Amino acid sequence: NGVTTSTQSLAGGAIRDCEFRWLSGNGIVIHDDGTKNPAEGDACQSIRIVNNGITRFGQQYSNGIGIIGYFVKRMLIADNEISYGPYMGTQTGGQSGGHEDAGMKDNILRNNYVHHVMQFHDDGAAFYTLARQQGTHVVDNWADTLLATGLTGGYPVAGIYADNYSEFITYERNANVNCTTAINQNTGGGVQNI
């Protein structure tokens, strides 16, 4: 991975103006221990990931993702370019297992350019969300050239993908160009208020 925070209670940090190239796995990972509803003092929050270039990730581990933030609050992902990876550009959120608060809220993905990802896997997107995230906004982003390959299955490949229990998230003014599916919403679980 490029940068991984596996510890809890990271607050107020920034990853800015960096270039990450030819990565074995993920680009940037925030809060990867997978604990939902972390205590207030243990939450990863107020982190800024701004103006970075992440390209050719997932070179050895094909499920690598450009930027992942699991159970985070007030994370800003803005003005990044993410490109040429076998799996997703961004993932915001972790599996909650149902319609419940899992400790994620007020995250912002803004003005990112994600292209030529999903080059091997399916079931993903340039901008992928999981679970309830009140106050989260995915706005003014650009997804380009995400084409389903059919190599690993038949699940959606999309510019934007609101998956398992993604709810209370605002999606506005995002451009999806040359994508197999522009927007995919997994609404089978009774998602509320996307």
Side-chain angles (χ1 to χ4, degrees):
N1 295 330
V3 174
T4 300
T5 65
S6 57
T7 60
Q8 297 174 333
S9 68
L10 177 64
I15 301 169
R16 179 181 204 104
D17 301 322
C18 297
E19 291 290 326
F20 300 95
R21 294 187 177 115
W22 295 101
L23 301 168
S24 181
N26 300 307
I28 298 171
V29 182
I30 305 297
H31 194 236
D32 78 340
D33 75 353
T35 304
K36 64 182 180 180
N37 283 318
E40 189 61 35
D42 291 336
C44 289
Q45 57 189 328
S46 303
I47 298 163
R48 295 170 318 220
I49 300 172
V50 179
N51 199 39
N52 299 290
I54 302 170
T55 190
R56 307 279 181 200
F57 55 91
Q59 297 300 294
Q60 185 173 6
Y61 299 95
S62 69
N63 62 342
I65 298 172
I67 299 173
I68 309 170
Y70 289 102
F71 297 97
V72 296
K73 299 177 185 178
R74 294 180 292 282
M75 184 170 68
L76 172 65
I77 299 173
D79 305 313
N80 300 288
E81 181 176 354
I82 303 168
S83 61
Y84 296 100
Y87 200 30
M88 296 189 285
T90 67
Q91 176 182 319
T92 308
Q95 293 285 1
S96 66
H99 296 289
E100 61 187 43
D101 183 3
M104 299 169 288
K105 66 179 183 177
D106 301 326
N107 298 303
I108 298 173
L109 282 80
R110 182 187 69 222
N111 198 40
N112 297 286
Y113 177 42
V114 178
H115 59 95
H116 297 92
V117 297
M118 300 300 301
Q119 293 187 316
F120 181 71
H121 290 285
D122 62 342
D123 199 23
F127 304 99
Y128 179 90
T129 60
L130 283 168
R132 179 177 290 173
Q133 299 184 45
Q134 293 183 343
T136 291
H137 289 77
V138 181
V139 298
D140 299 321
N141 296 291
W142 183 281
D144 194 349
T145 315
L146 279 75
L147 303 173
T149 62
L151 295 173
T152 59
Y155 288 97
V157 170
I160 294 173
Y161 194 150
D163 205 358
N164 301 339
Y165 307 106
S166 288
E167 57 186 358
F168 305 116
I169 300 169
T170 300
Y171 302 88
E172 295 181 303
R173 299 182 308 273
N174 296 290
N176 298 297
V177 178
N178 198 23
C179 298
T180 300
T181 303
I183 300 170
N184 187 72
Q185 296 181 50
N186 184 351
T187 57
V191 173
Q192 308 171 58
N193 195 29
I194 288 184

